[in-house]
Amino acid sequence: MSSLPQTDGLPDTIRAIVWDDDRLQLLDQRQLPGQSVWLTLDDAPAVARAIHDMVVRGAPAIGIAAAYGVVLAARAAYRDAGPDWRAAIEPDLTTLAAARPTAINLNWALARMRAAFTASDGDPEPQLLQLAAAIQHEDIAANRHMGALGADLIDHDRRNGGAVLTHCNTGSLATGGFGTALGVVRTLYGRNSIERVYATETRPWLQGARLTAWELQQDRIPATLIADSAAAALLAQGGVHWVIVGADRVAANGDVANKIGTYALALAARRHDVGFMVVAPTSTIDTATASGADIPIEDRGAAELLSYGGHTPGVADMPAWNPVFDVTPAELVDALVTEKGVLTAPDSAAIDGLMRA
Ligand SMILES: CSC[C@H]1O[C@H](OP(=O)(O)O)[C@H](O)[C@@H]1O
């Protein structure tokens, strides 16, 4: 799929974020699945624009792209200000932080990169590039570990086998590689533990219909696309035993911000005794945010909701409400799977214990 070489020798996984030729290469997810178009970025404002415009999207992927954005910012600051690069870099860090509000992985990555601003006055780029690459590799390793933990839980649950449903895109395109919720799906299918995956189309941006469908087809995993509004009826008819989703931010009390429609899936799952699993690395957990009520929810405006592939089939100037995330209360989450362990009752005490471990 990628015209760029795999650069780290890790087990094969679709790679949508690649540092190559001393610049950041991003697979433009707005063009998938029809075209694989790679964009080359060589400054931090361009990375911020790419995050805002969803060239790259998905909570962990946003953090990884931002980390490489800091590398580009440090290059420019050191070139322009030499030993005073730490002051010179600040405007670019502010621009990166403002790219999208909900996924906490963005700020997590910026804070981790900032913590590496050592006292040395030498060129910071090599050290920061090493850290950005480490963040991406750690994410892939975490995804593979979460895949096993989530699959183990389902394999040992009374609601094992059959089919699962996933929402939005939580695969290699949304992460450093392999995926969070889709990583669990990949692992389950690899074990012959499930027969089929149902993917919601995920209006309005169609991450499910365009990206998840494409990833599952690449992996030759049997999948069926459904309209978002068909999900409750599907769960009501039986056969789907788990809903497996990702997250953009998990609050200190276990409330989960994720793609719009997740809350409805959680309600339908609870009504029909279908397991509801959230899969997210701890870089998505924000203990500084007390509850879901405090999570900023991105609204991407009416045009995105009124259009379909750039066409406006309906009333062009119709007012529209387009929050692209919602909040699922912790009590509707049957399992929160992280790389540090699985919480089957995610609440403040359990989250605190996990983050301190
Ligand atoms: C690996 S979880 C990715 C998470 O991000 C997605 O949102 P977006 O496509 O707008 O960045 C969605 O909420 C996924 O669950």
Side-chain angles (χ1 to χ4, degrees), residues 4-320:
L4 293 162
Q6 296 293 356
T7 55
D8 55 18
L10 281 174
D12 183 37
T13 175
I14 296 172
R15 193 60 52 80
I17 303 170
V18 175
W19 183 267
D20 191 59
D21 190 24
D22 263 349
R23 295 180 292 181
L24 181 61
Q25 319 277 348
L26 294 178
L27 178 60
D28 188 345
Q29 299 188 30
R30 302 171 300 181
Q31 309 301 327
L32 290 174
Q35 300 179 76
S36 290
V37 174
W38 286 86
L39 303 186
T40 300
L41 299 89
D42 48 23
D43 63 64
V47 176
R49 284 193 300 275
I51 292 169
H52 177 269
D53 296 346
M54 296 175 71
V55 167
V56 58
R57 34 62 52 198
I62 287 171
I64 293 162
Y68 285 115
V70 175
V71 176
L72 295 170
R75 175 187 296 171
Y78 188 71
R79 178 196 63 216
D80 299 344
D84 299 326
W85 67 268
R86 288 176 190 77
I89 200 175
E90 285 303 329
D92 277 352
L93 297 185
T94 301
T95 301
L96 285 166
R100 288 185 78 188
T102 304
I104 193 61
N105 309 64
L106 175 54
N107 289 331
W108 171 86
L110 294 177
R112 193 162 164 200
M113 296 297 286
R114 183 188 288 277
F117 290 179
T118 59
S120 78
D121 286 337
D123 181 359
E125 182 176 345
Q127 176 205 6
L128 292 176
L129 177 58
Q130 195 171 14
L131 178 54
I135 287 173
Q136 182 168 14
H137 296 166
E138 287 168 13
D139 186 66
I140 297 171
N143 292 339
R144 289 188 177 277
H145 186 45
M146 292 189 293
L149 292 177
D152 289 348
L153 184 146
I154 290 176
D155 279 343
H156 294 94
D157 186 82
R158 60 182 172 82
R159 296 164 295 194
N160 63 50
V164 298
L165 180 144
T166 194
H167 187 51
C168 196
N169 173 256
T170 60
S172 294
L173 295 172
T175 65
F178 194 68
T180 56
L182 215 58
V184 173
V185 168
R186 285 182 158 117
T187 306
L188 283 166
Y189 187 73
R191 296 179 180 181
N192 293 316
S193 293
I194 57 170
E195 297 151 13
R196 177 166 294 276
V197 185
Y198 288 90
T200 59
E201 62 176 350
T202 318
R203 278 214 23 93
W205 215 75
L206 301 179
Q207 290 92 329
R210 296 187 303 109
L211 307 180
T212 296
W214 181 72
E215 285 203 46
L216 292 172
Q217 195 178 63
Q218 299 280 318
D219 287 3
R220 293 183 172 76
I221 295 176
T224 301
L225 184 68
I226 66 169
D228 302 319
S229 50
L234 176 67
L235 300 188
Q237 75 177 18
V240 174
H241 298 160
W242 280 84
V243 172
I244 311 173
V245 299
D248 287 80
R249 190 181 308 205
V250 179
N253 71 341
D255 290 347
V256 176
N258 195 52
K259 185 53 49 193
I260 190 77
T262 301
Y263 176 40
L265 290 174
L267 291 169
R270 186 55 56 90
R271 169 66 182 78
H272 296 290
D273 189 29
V274 172
F276 187 80
M277 175 184 284
V278 175
V279 187
T282 51
S283 54
T284 308
I285 297 177
D286 177 17
T287 53
T289 296
S291 76
D294 306 310
I295 298 175
I297 299 297
E298 181 182 14
D299 184 310
R300 292 186 67 89
E304 196 170 273
L305 193 63
L306 296 173
S307 68
Y308 183 95
H311 302 286
T312 306
V315 175
D317 57 357
M318 180 78 182

